[in-house]
Amino acid sequence: MSDRRLSAATAEKRLQDGWTVTTTPPGLCAVPGALKAGMEQLPAPVPGTLAGALERAGRFDRADPTNLEHLDAWYRLTLEEVPGPAVLRFEGLATVAEVFLNGNKILDSESMFEAHDVLTGRDELALCFRAIGPHLEKKGPRARWRPRMMRSQGLRLLRTTALGFMPGWCPDVVAVGPWRPVSLLRQDGPTVHDLHLTSDLDEAGTGHLALSFVAPDLAGEVVLHCAGGTATAVRDADGIWRVDLRLPGIDAWWPASHGAPVLHAGTLTVDGRPHPLGRTGFRRIAIDRGADGRDFSLRVNGEPVFCRGAVWTSADIVDLPGDRAAYEPFLKAAAGAGMNMIRIGGTMAYESTEFFALCDELGLMVWQDVMLANFDYPANDDALMFHVKAELRQFLRRHCASPSLAILCGGSEMHQQGAMLGLPERIWKTALTGEILPTLCAELAPHLPYVENSPCGGNQPFFVNEGVGHYYGVGAYLRPLEDARRANLRFAAECLAFANVPQAETLSAHLPVPAVHDPRWKARVPRDAGASWDFEDVRDHYTALLYGVDPARLRRENPDRYLTYARATTAEVMEA
């Protein structure tokens, strides 16, 4: 669904060609005019990242990434003349950024997850992405625990992705640059903001499409259309336009495992002029706690649904793309494998409208974490909470009408980190996930279930026999295959922990070294920080258990056969 504006009332031009980027030591240039004429300017893709621009110029190796935390990156573009009032829209600036027009600073941005609109004309546009290294070194309120998986404790005070900061899990590729589109918009209709569209399905099978927005200069008749139904909007006493369209007997949206993911086009007309709102679907999501109140499962449109899927990382860690072409191969493969849910964990990044549109079409439900993970985030830090609430508010307004959005979660493993250190519940169960986030979710997405943290639910958050678990009994803890049943696992938001071996053609394209025997092979195997074992060791354990072979000897004597066993092992364990 479109967000924040009526699309037909705005002529939008993506500013993606003609950008250059110049890197300097941190703080060398305060304003774009301080950049010397002889400084190197590299072509820069926008949307994109500094790592992506350097990679295209042969200056960056994703397998052995250069540290980008101690560079300022200056992106520059000359805008064409814009007739009439215009707005520059920045959908995502990673991470600490300043925006200049004609040499004058007009915007400071401190979160890669927030969008910004500013007025413009014919201008020299410059974006400076300040080095985040000094920000990572800043001291904040004392943390009550320190997660080992993150290489910088200062990350908890920056609103940026944890991708690139998790040694053993992903390369150290840090997000820098305009990772989401930069657009120029010329308004030829009423100014609309805070557009918020939600869709729901009640127990009687009636679809509800609710729309609200602010448009001070809008007059005339405003009508919402969808699936053959119409409803007229009215402006309330606070100046907010509101409309609730009821659609009895609407064809419901289902995850592909249980039915058809039916979508319906929505349109808003203002004095007869149509403004397309995109497509939406109608479904009802509820958490089922079971007869004992300790269970966790989903009901969609009243029917029990066994959720099966995977945790999403990114379509590409260097470019962090958000277009349909980047997502499509992965999401179609997931749907083709029979998955019906994708989880976006708190260590990743919010995905774009194109991601959710594809999930809508494919019948893939989305479990969405807020981008919070592992750290003790200070809920009394007003500046930090301002950004957390702003990013969540923008996310919900953008995606609330996507029927694939199924679960909202307050982040990943913050509760678990504190509990595993023996801290009492009053320490690790904070107001952030227990009060601040659920209040905002209830305000903007009352139709969606909220989960306080992943994992959570039992006497201790890492217990898997109640609520949501992160289960590694079969996997990292080397338990027998029947342990998943014996442990009375209720719902695994993540599990297993194996190093999966790609097919031969993928290996030859991306890791053209002697399999198993080259040190670069082992460097690619995921591992927990500080552990004496990695997830290839875990896989080898189950190879021996399942097939009665000696993986170490097989690896030495017949690497190709070893890889065949390795691929079969993860498939058989996942099936079991």
Side-chain angles (χ1 to χ4, degrees):
M1 280 295 187
S2 302
D3 63 296
R4 299 187 301 279
R5 65 187 186 275
L6 300 183
S7 57
T10 305
E12 178 176 358
K13 178 183 179 182
R14 288 282 176 91
L15 302 179
Q16 55 191 22
D17 299 320
W19 288 90
T20 63
V21 64
T22 299
T23 58
T24 72
L28 179 66
C29 300
V31 295
L35 293 166
K36 295 181 180 179
M39 288 181 169
E40 183 180 43
Q41 299 182 58
L42 296 175
V46 175
T49 64
L50 175 60
L54 294 174
E55 184 178 61
R56 288 162 175 80
R59 311 285 184 83
F60 188 87
D61 181 0
R62 66 175 64 205
D64 185 20
T66 306
N67 190 311
L68 303 179
E69 295 166 33
H70 299 284
L71 291 173
D72 283 355
W74 287 88
Y75 280 71
R76 286 179 287 175
L77 175 71
T78 299
L79 297 177
E80 298 175 359
E81 186 172 355
V82 182
V87 169
L88 275 170
R89 170 160 294 152
F90 303 96
E91 295 194 26
L93 303 172
T95 290
V96 179
E98 301 170 4
V99 178
F100 297 84
L101 284 174
N102 297 327
N104 299 312
K105 187 164 71 170
I106 60 168
L107 175 67
D108 284 298
S109 177
E110 297 179 341
S111 170
M112 74 176 280
F113 304 129
E114 292 177 41
H116 303 278
D117 286 356
V118 293
L119 293 173
T120 186
R122 178 177 173 83
D123 302 285
E124 294 287 334
L125 175 61
L127 317 177
C128 181
F129 298 89
R130 296 297 183 185
I132 66 171
H135 293 270
L136 293 171
E137 296 164 4
K138 289 181 179 179
K139 302 296 183 184
R142 183 175 180 179
R144 293 164 294 183
W145 67 82
R146 296 166 64 89
R148 296 185 66 185
M149 72 179 290
M150 307 292 186
R151 63 178 173 84
S152 174
Q153 299 306 311
L155 191 64
R156 75 187 182 115
L157 302 178
L158 274 181
R159 295 311 300 144
T160 193
T161 178
L163 290 170
F165 291 92
M166 298 180 286
W169 286 100
C170 63
D172 288 353
V173 181
V174 176
V176 178
W179 73 298
R180 288 291 182 250
V182 179
S183 301
L184 187 67
L185 301 105
R186 185 169 60 83
Q187 198 78 22
D188 61 355
T191 300
V192 174
H193 55 92
D194 293 345
L195 188 71
H196 184 208
L197 189 68
T198 62
S199 60
D200 196 11
L201 185 73
D202 66 24
E203 294 184 2
T206 296
H208 294 262
L209 189 61
L211 175 67
S212 65
F213 59 90
V214 177
D217 53 347
L218 178 61
E221 186 179 51
V222 179
V223 181
L224 179 61
H225 307 256
C226 185
T230 62
T232 301
V234 296
R235 193 184 338 228
D236 65 18
D238 296 322
I240 301 174
W241 288 87
R242 300 183 187 276
V243 57
D244 186 356
L245 174 59
R246 295 170 53 86
L247 298 164
I250 191 74
D251 289 334
W253 183 95
W254 290 91
S257 55
H258 285 65
V262 179
L263 297 173
H264 307 270
T267 303
L268 194 70
T269 61
V270 179
D271 282 339
R273 182 181 179 185
H275 304 276
L277 296 172
R279 294 194 297 171
T280 188
F282 299 89
R283 55 40 193 139
R284 183 172 69 261
I285 307 282
I287 296 173
D288 187 345
R289 297 290 182 180
D292 62 0
R294 301 173 60 190
D295 203 359
F296 187 99
S297 62
L298 291 191
R299 287 185 173 270
V300 180
N301 305 330
E303 294 296 322
V305 171
F306 183 88
C307 299
R308 52 183 185 265
V311 178
W312 175 264
T313 53
S314 172
D316 184 285
I317 193 173
V318 169
D319 288 325
L320 298 179
D323 59 289
R324 185 183 182 96
Y327 295 131
E328 201 163 25
F330 301 105
L331 294 179
K332 283 191 172 181
M339 296 186 189
N340 61 14
M341 176 170 274
I342 297 290
R343 175 177 170 233
I344 303 176
T347 52
M348 309 306 171
Y350 299 106
E351 294 298 345
S352 72
T353 300
E354 296 296 328
F355 180 94
F356 284 90
L358 267 167
C359 290
D360 293 346
E361 295 169 20
L362 295 170
L364 286 169
M365 296 182 291
V366 178
W367 173 303
Q368 177 70 59
D369 282 7
V370 178
M371 291 303 119
L372 301 165
N374 297 80
F375 288 107
D376 175 24
Y377 295 94
N380 58 353
D381 184 326
D382 291 340
L384 179 65
M385 290 302 104
F386 172 85
H387 291 302
V388 170
K389 288 188 280 189
E391 76 191 39
L392 181 56
R393 188 176 291 110
Q394 288 185 0
F395 172 85
L396 292 174
R397 283 179 175 152
R398 187 176 295 120
H399 301 303
C400 255
S402 287
S404 58
L405 183 58
I407 296 286
L408 301 174
C409 178
S412 174
E413 294 191 348
M414 293 108 79
H415 291 185
Q416 175 175 288
Q417 287 282 323
M420 290 183 74
L421 292 173
L423 299 174
E425 183 179 292
R426 61 179 174 80
I427 298 294
W428 49 259
K429 201 166 188 179
T430 68
L432 175 56
T433 59
E435 299 172 20
I436 296 172
L437 297 180
T439 298
L440 191 54
C441 289
E443 174 193 341
L444 294 175
H447 60 297
L448 293 178
Y450 172 83
V451 176
E452 193 167 345
N453 209 238
S454 183
C456 70
N459 292 328
Q460 293 290 339
F462 44 78
F463 289 174
V464 300
N465 62 348
E466 183 171 350
V468 176
H470 288 187
Y471 174 72
Y472 293 99
V474 176
Y477 300 151
L478 308 182
R479 302 278 176 81
L481 298 183
E482 59 269 21
D483 182 75
R485 294 181 176 86
R486 290 177 176 174
N488 194 22
L489 173 63
R490 301 301 180 107
F491 187 101
E494 59 185 65
C495 62
L496 293 180
F498 285 88
N500 293 291
V501 177
Q503 294 299 318
E505 59 269 25
T506 305
L507 283 178
S508 63
H510 298 284
L511 192 60
V513 301
V516 182
H517 297 298
D518 192 284
R520 285 169 288 181
W521 174 276
K522 208 62 173 173
R524 297 290 185 91
V525 176
R527 65 185 306 135
D528 277 328
S532 61
W533 49 271
D534 60 31
F535 293 128
E536 186 162 61
D537 299 328
V538 172
R539 190 188 65 233
D540 284 351
H541 168 83
Y542 287 95
T543 297
L545 182 72
L546 288 168
Y547 305 116
V549 299
D550 180 354
R553 180 176 179 179
L554 194 61
R555 186 167 56 235
R556 291 192 304 270
E557 298 178 354
N558 193 336
D560 288 340
R561 189 166 178 80
Y562 169 81
L563 295 179
T564 300
Y565 271 111
R567 296 183 183 104
T569 296
T570 52
E572 192 160 336
V573 171
M574 290 182 184
E575 181 184 25

